[in-house]
Amino acid sequence: MVLRVFRWSPGSRERLQKYWVRARQGMTVLDALVEVQRGTDPTLAFRYACRVGMCGSCGMVINGPAAPC
């Protein structure tokens, strides 16, 4: 699957960056982002805490609307 991630940093232009991830059964968007960060692009930064969708710290915007992890 392809993840298109909004990237921004001070002094740089906003952009969408594409990452290719092999989808697995039961994989969440957060799982895919962690895989990209650990294996492809260590500059990708995001926050998460409980990973079970309870605390809301890893809420994301997916295809426009906000979604829990």
Side-chain angles (χ1 to χ4, degrees), residues 23-36:
R24 297 183 316 272
Q25 183 72 26
M27 178 182 244
T28 66
V29 173
L30 183 56
D31 293 334
L33 288 169
V34 169
E35 188 171 308
V36 167

Side-chain angles (χ1 to χ4, degrees), residues 42-65:
T43 70
L44 183 63
F46 53 92
R47 289 182 7 185
Y48 63 93
C50 70
R51 292 192 66 141
V52 295
M54 290 177 49
C55 69
S57 75
C58 54
M60 302 174 207
V61 176
I62 301 171
N63 293 332

Side-chain angles (χ1 to χ4, degrees), residues 6-50:
F6 178 80
R7 299 295 306 260
W8 174 86
S9 64
S12 298
R13 296 188 71 196
E14 298 171 348
R15 67 191 189 283
L16 283 175
Q17 188 163 349
K18 292 181 183 179
Y19 298 100
W20 286 263
V21 178
R22 180 168 296 196
R24 297 183 316 272
Q25 183 72 26
M27 178 182 244
T28 66
V29 173
L30 183 56
D31 293 334
L33 288 169
V34 169
E35 188 171 308
V36 167
Q37 184 187 50
R38 291 182 180 166
T40 305
D41 186 354
T43 70
L44 183 63
F46 53 92
R47 289 182 7 185
Y48 63 93
C50 70

